[in-house]
């Protein structure tokens, strides 16, 4: 089988799968929180006027929701940036994944400020991935 990309691109693929596993774990935490705090479907969030645990449930839900919102940006940057810079992109992607874990667990405490303790550094990884993607685009234009 002929390889289109270098073997190092495998690191990018593995990091994408690791992030998918993290996302599934976060989804499971939301399901557990739904049961614990009695928030039934189809309600995305709990109302504070109807549920004394609304704030903590909403923080768990919001941590996962924000990760879902950022996932397309992360995926496109790591996939494209990884084509030109696979090892750097994989390292940045792994760093981003770790920061998303701390973003979620911090948010899940019920205090939204806790999401920023380590989670705020994820944007550095995204910025690095943007640079890798732009560099890859420039390489394509020059070839």
């Amino acid at each position: 089988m002929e390889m289109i990309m270098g073997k190092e691109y495998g690191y990018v693929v593995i990091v994408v799968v690791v992030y998918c596993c993290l996302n599934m774990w976060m989804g499971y935490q939301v399901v557990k929180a739904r049961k614990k705090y009695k928030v039934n479907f189809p309600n995305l969030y709990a109302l504070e006027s109807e549920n004394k645990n609304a704030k903590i449930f909403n923080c768990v839900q919001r941590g996962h929701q924000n990760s879902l919102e950022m996932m397309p940006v992360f995926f496109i940057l790591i996939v494209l940036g990884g084509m030109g810079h696979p090892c750097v992109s994989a390292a940045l992607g792994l760093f981003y994944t770790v920061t998303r874990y701390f973003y979620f667990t911090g948010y899940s405490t019920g205090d939204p400020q806790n999401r920023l303790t380590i989670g705020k550094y994820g944007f550095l990884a995204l910025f690095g991935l943007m640079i890798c993607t732009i560099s890859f685009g420039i390489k394509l234009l020059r070839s």
Side-chain angles (χ1 to χ4, degrees):
M1 179 176 171
E2 185 180 328
M3 294 287 290
I4 296 171
M5 293 171 229
K7 66 180 183 178
E8 293 85 8
Y9 195 77
Y11 296 124
V12 172
V13 173
I14 290 168
V15 170
V16 168
V17 173
V18 169
Y19 189 88
C20 288
C21 291
L22 174 64
N23 185 55
M24 289 188 296
W25 176 80
M26 288 187 284
Y28 178 66
Q29 300 310 305
V30 173
V31 169
K32 286 183 4 184
R34 279 190 177 284
K35 290 178 183 176
K36 181 176 181 179
Y37 301 119
K38 298 175 178 49
V39 179
N40 298 318
F41 285 106
N43 299 321
L44 189 58
Y45 295 101
L47 297 175
E48 289 187 25
S49 61
E50 298 174 6
N51 188 323
K52 65 181 175 131
N53 296 306
K55 183 175 181 182
I56 191 159
F57 171 79
N58 290 342
C59 284
V60 173
Q61 172 69 357
R62 190 67 204 126
H64 182 235
Q65 187 69 33
N66 183 264
S67 294
L68 290 172
E69 293 163 2
M70 295 302 298
M71 194 164 51
V73 173
F74 171 59
F75 279 1
I76 198 70
L77 290 175
I78 192 170
V79 166
L80 292 176
M83 290 180 185
H85 306 280
C87 293
V88 173
S89 293
L92 288 167
L94 188 58
F95 177 73
Y96 180 76
T97 301
V98 169
T99 65
R100 290 314 294 188
Y101 169 80
F102 285 105
Y103 183 95
F104 177 80
T105 56
Y107 218 151
S108 296
T109 64
D111 181 357
Q113 282 304 111
N114 290 341
R115 75 192 193 282
L116 300 175
T117 305
I118 295 173
K120 66 185 172 191
Y121 297 109
F123 285 101
L124 295 174
L126 288 179
F127 184 70
L129 288 168
M130 284 181 197
I131 291 169
C132 289
T133 303
I134 291 168
S135 173
F136 176 60
I138 291 169
K139 283 182 187 179
L140 288 174
L141 291 171
R142 290 185 176 170
S143 62

